[in-house]
Amino acid sequence: MSKIIFINLRNVREDNDLKQRQLADHLGCSQKTYSDYETGKTHVPVEILAVLSKYYGTSVDYLIELTDERKPYPRQK
C-alpha cells in the first residue's frame, strides 16, 4: 500500500491556528502520533478521522482529500 499524506489535516489545523499538541491532547494521543498522521507515517484510524471531522465541522472526505467541499454532508433521515 502506498504512503498517504493527508495535506488537508495539516491545512485545516493551521487554518484554525492550532498546534499539533493541541489536537493530540484533544484526541488523547501523543504529538508524535498526530505528526505521523499528518505526514503519512501512520495510518489515521477512521475513529480519529470521525472525531476530527466533527471537531472542524467538515467531512472526512475533505480531510482525506476526496472532495474540495469543506462543509459536512447533511444527515440522511
Side-chain angles (χ1 to χ4, degrees), residues 24 29-39 42-45:
C29 66
S30 70
Q31 183 273 326
K32 167 91 170 80
T33 297
Y34 185 82
S35 175
D36 288 348
Y37 292 156
E38 283 191 5
T39 60
T42 301
H43 287 280
V44 185

Side-chain angles (χ1 to χ4, degrees), residues 8-59:
N8 278 350
L9 282 181
R10 184 186 71 234
N11 290 343
V12 173
R13 176 180 57 78
E14 290 176 347
D15 288 348
N16 285 277
D17 295 323
L18 296 168
K19 303 284 185 201
Q20 287 182 344
R21 163 61 53 207
Q22 291 171 286
L23 282 187
D25 289 346
H26 179 74
L27 297 170
C29 66
S30 70
Q31 183 273 326
K32 167 91 170 80
T33 297
Y34 185 82
S35 175
D36 288 348
Y37 292 156
E38 283 191 5
T39 60
K41 291 180 183 175
T42 301
H43 287 280
V44 185
V46 70
E47 295 86 0
I48 296 295
L49 289 171
V51 170
L52 289 172
S53 71
K54 287 180 183 179
Y55 184 81
Y56 290 127
T58 190
S59 68

